[in-house]
Amino acid sequence: MGKDQDVDAIMKDATLYNSLVASAVDLSQANVQSTKHGKILSFIRSARDIDFNQRRKFLHHIMLISNHDDDTWTVLPSPPTQMADNILFRKVSPSGDKIAIFTRSSDDIEQVFIEIWQDGGSSLVNKIPVPKSLHGDICFDTNWFGSINWNKDETAMVYSAERTAPKSSSFFEKENYSKDSSSDSLGWIGKTNTLGFGKGENWGEKYTSTCVLDLFVVNVETGNIGKVENVPVAKDKDSSTLKGYTLGQAIFSPDGKSIVYTAWDGGDGGQMPRRLGSIYCYQRHCALYQSSVSNLLDALSSIDGNHDKDDTDYLCITPNDRLARSPRFIKANSSKDMLIWLSNSKGFDTHGGVMGLSMLEYDSKQGALVNTSREIVAPIHEPENDDSFPGLFMNQLPEHPFLSNDARHILVNTQWRSQSRVIRIDLDDGTVVPLSFNLKGDDETMASQTLLCMSPEGDAIVTQSDSNSPAVVGVISAENVSNAGTEVIKSRVLSKLGPVAATCSVGLLKDEECTNFQSTVIRVHPPHGSVRAPVEGILLLPFRKEKAEKLPLIIVPHGGPHSCTPTSFIPSYAFLANSYAILHVNFRGSSGFGQAALESLAGTAGTQDVEDCVFLTNHVLKEFEMVINQDRVGVCGGSHGGYLASHLIGQHPDMFKVAALRNPVTNIATMTTATDIPDWCYIETFGLGSYDWSKFQGATKEQLAQMWDASPIAYVNNVKAPTLVALGNSDKRVPPSQGIEYYHSLRSKGVDTKLLMYEDDDHAIDKVKSESDHWINIKHWFDKYL
């Protein structure tokens, strides 16, 4: 290939990649406001910008006017508005009359302000400065720790923010030794680099700046802000941040007199002597608490904001649950106020698992929860067969899951095998009904679907995405949601969001030019293993001209391992699927297939999951032998997927001809004391119950030997496949040394290898420039060797 042809090929790949990431639809902060003219749907879309190496945010508004006589909708979209970089978050009040916008000044001081916009967001009526001395960064991560919520009368909000670290100073600061120095101030001398003082103990990957979160209430009229003091704290009440609880997901009670929130054990509950990585780890010990805020609210409503009287002590609502999170207040069909939340009394050792749905009555007259009224609405259970409900696999409940028109059902998102699905739960009898709808037609679909938000009247705003088609936004009327059964119900597309170009370097292709492949879901039942559960694959096949060459195949096991690849649009794999057949493998251990199937991987990692991948691959090679070349099979995976890819080229060196690894686990023995999730090393190697949550200690000599045996490094001498390794050097989950060790091991034995290192990236390698660079490198690697 000549130089000009090389440039042409690179430009072609860059154009295709730009087109696919430009089509990606990532939505958040969706809300529906009711007006006298109709409803206004608003949401924020995140789009990649390679030139600026950032994700730009666009605010969309769509006017919806429904005709309930014939179930049609008039849709009036308006052009999106780019959100300024200094806008941190926006929160619409329950009525839609007010909008709180959190902003940050662009000067060196970086002052945060809370702007209160009224009259539907048309008038700025208050601008509240947040004192820097009050707390650290506000937590806007509402997918997990964070929470920003209004009270019912829209006079106050509650949010989570980082606790200000205790004072610390160098041994050599002159003011430490002044005559005015008190004994208290002398206690912080020399603690600049002490964990819990000058340095914080964080929650690992993606949460490196999150140590201890406290709760704060702001009165949006007076501008006063106060800390909620009557919460669980460190038992010895020292000033370090090593103990206590991390507080988040706070909501106001219906009467506005108290708040209910989630508290994660941060070192004082006997379940977490060391804070372990939290992201994607849904088994970290947590409980729900209630704290009165009546007196705090009274104080904040006065001009000076001073407290005259402290609030009563806190109450643990879920003392017998190992896992309890995501509280939501709803009004049930008896007109009673009810608290619902995700719960699991026993918890689970694996990072993912099935959650139950619990419910408790709230007595507004007493301002308290009725503890004798607790019900388990959706209990934890095993699926009856391959197609039945597998259990609730979710990290949080939707912000407003309630159907207001029938006062009986809630809508939630869950992983249902290889699909993301919207399900309706009956609060009376716990019946679960998956909503069967198709925004693109009347037939059933294997697309993944999610609930974005609910309108005040109970209409469901949803998205739908296929492996070869970006997400579209649609609506299902409240009546159709309430009456849903097994038949496909009516739905309507509201918006097909157009592309947002990621770079000026190359242009964009038409939709049909950049998703030139089809997808299908394949289910098999391997004979090996202790659990007879299915393994599913999502096969992406490029369209071929008649008599064209057979396609090379790339196997893609997902990370986690207790996660799942859904049947949704993933730009990076759509990029590869224009040239290669892609097989996503949801092996046993994946979420969405029941707890027994998920836990069957614990103690069998490196064997059962490897055999599942090989069994499914052989099945596909046989079933599609007319279109797939069985002699041209590669593998691509990140994290646990990289662990599996390394195992596959080591255990089956003649089957897999090339590999691309992204932050792979290659040697569990050398990872166990360097990762933010040491529990993974034990549980996936030795099985359930093998990790002592009340202690932290290194592995024994015997355990290290077993960890090595379960690692890809044990098979490295068998590897023949050219291997690309991509690493984020700030990775807290899988130390970069894992990939570096494997790279040098392969290189020393003469295997073609290439190492990509991204200095400022972490485990996901998801900074925009790093992401684009490493995916085009991966395609070129497969182009060269497959």
Side-chain angles (χ1 to χ4, degrees), residues 4 49 443:
D4 291 340
D49 190 312
D443 300 327

Side-chain angles (χ1 to χ4, degrees), residues 110-130:
E110 291 195 342
Q111 175 75 52
V112 173
F113 298 88
I114 306 174
E115 297 181 354
I116 306 302
W117 293 76
Q118 202 164 282
D119 302 325
S122 61
S123 304
L124 178 57
V125 296
N126 203 357
K127 193 171 184 179
I128 304 166
V130 180

Side-chain angles (χ1 to χ4, degrees), residues 408-589:
R408 176 175 174 177
H409 298 100
I410 64 168
L411 291 189
V412 300
N413 299 311
T414 190
Q415 189 68 38
W416 191 305
R417 295 177 181 81
S418 296
Q419 285 180 273
S420 297
R421 300 202 67 172
V422 182
I423 63 174
R424 190 189 67 197
I425 301 177
D426 191 317
L427 296 178
D428 287 350
D429 59 19
T431 302
V432 172
V433 175
L435 294 194
S436 180
F437 67 93
N438 187 351
L439 292 176
K440 298 183 178 179
D442 297 328
D443 300 327
E444 291 187 4
T445 177
M446 285 300 294
S448 281
Q449 301 162 330
T450 60
L451 175 69
L452 267 184
C453 64
M454 304 288 291
S455 76
E457 294 76 23
D459 306 303
I461 308 299
V462 296
T463 67
Q464 178 172 307
S465 171
D466 298 272
S467 300
N468 60 352
S469 179
V472 296
V473 180
V475 62
I476 308 171
S477 70
E479 181 181 359
N480 285 334
V481 172
S482 296
N483 297 330
T486 58
E487 300 296 322
V488 177
I489 58 177
K490 287 185 178 181
S491 58
R492 162 76 192 274
V493 172
L494 297 177
S495 177
K496 296 180 179 179
L497 298 170
V500 179
T503 177
C504 65
S505 301
V506 292
L508 293 177
L509 300 172
K510 296 179 180 178
D511 289 347
E512 61 271 16
E513 293 178 299
C514 57
T515 52
N516 188 32
F517 60 92
Q518 57 188 321
S519 67
T520 185
V521 175
I522 298 166
R523 180 182 293 171
V524 296
H525 291 81
H528 56 271
S530 60
V531 174
R532 298 299 174 220
V535 171
E536 286 191 351
I538 305 168
L539 180 63
L540 313 182
L541 281 175
F543 293 114
R544 298 165 63 245
K545 295 180 180 179
E546 194 173 342
K547 296 183 179 179
E549 285 187 8
K550 291 184 179 181
L551 295 164
L553 174 67
I554 300 174
I555 309 303
V556 184
H558 59 71
H562 307 297
S563 61
C564 187
T565 299
T567 56
S568 59
F569 184 74
I570 305 173
S572 52
Y573 290 110
F575 174 59
L576 295 180
N578 274 265
S579 302
Y580 299 95
I582 303 294
L583 179 62
H584 292 287
V585 185
N586 288 324
F587 46 84
R588 285 170 296 179

Side-chain angles (χ1 to χ4, degrees), residues 642-691:
Y643 168 83
L644 280 176
S646 307
H647 262 304
L648 289 168
I649 60 176
Q651 295 188 39
H652 299 272
D654 296 323
M655 185 175 189
F656 297 94
K657 310 302 182 184
V658 58
L661 318 176
R662 300 165 48 248
N663 284 321
V665 177
T666 61
N667 188 339
I668 302 175
T670 59
M671 172 176 158
T672 183
T673 56
T675 175
D676 68 334
I677 52 167
D679 51 307
W680 179 92
C681 301
Y682 291 82
I683 291 162
E684 304 303 338
T685 302
F686 307 116
L688 304 176
S690 59
Y691 187 78

Side-chain angles (χ1 to χ4, degrees), residues 98-174:
K98 296 178 181 177
I99 301 175
I101 298 179
F102 291 73
T103 65
R104 178 174 53 208
S105 62
S106 56
D107 55 28
D108 294 337
I109 300 175
E110 291 195 342
Q111 175 75 52
V112 173
F113 298 88
I114 306 174
E115 297 181 354
I116 306 302
W117 293 76
Q118 202 164 282
D119 302 325
S122 61
S123 304
L124 178 57
V125 296
N126 203 357
K127 193 171 184 179
I128 304 166
V130 180
K132 297 194 72 173
S133 59
L134 185 62
H135 55 64
D137 291 341
I138 297 173
C139 184
F140 298 110
D141 171 38
T142 53
N143 286 325
W144 194 240
F145 285 127
S147 59
I148 299 176
N149 283 299
W150 289 86
N151 63 353
K152 191 174 181 179
D153 63 10
E154 302 182 354
T155 59
M157 290 188 298
V158 59
Y159 63 86
S160 300
E162 191 68 25
R163 180 178 300 172
T164 303
K167 180 181 177 182
S168 61
S169 63
S170 164
F171 288 111
F172 302 101
E173 290 185 19
K174 184 177 181 180

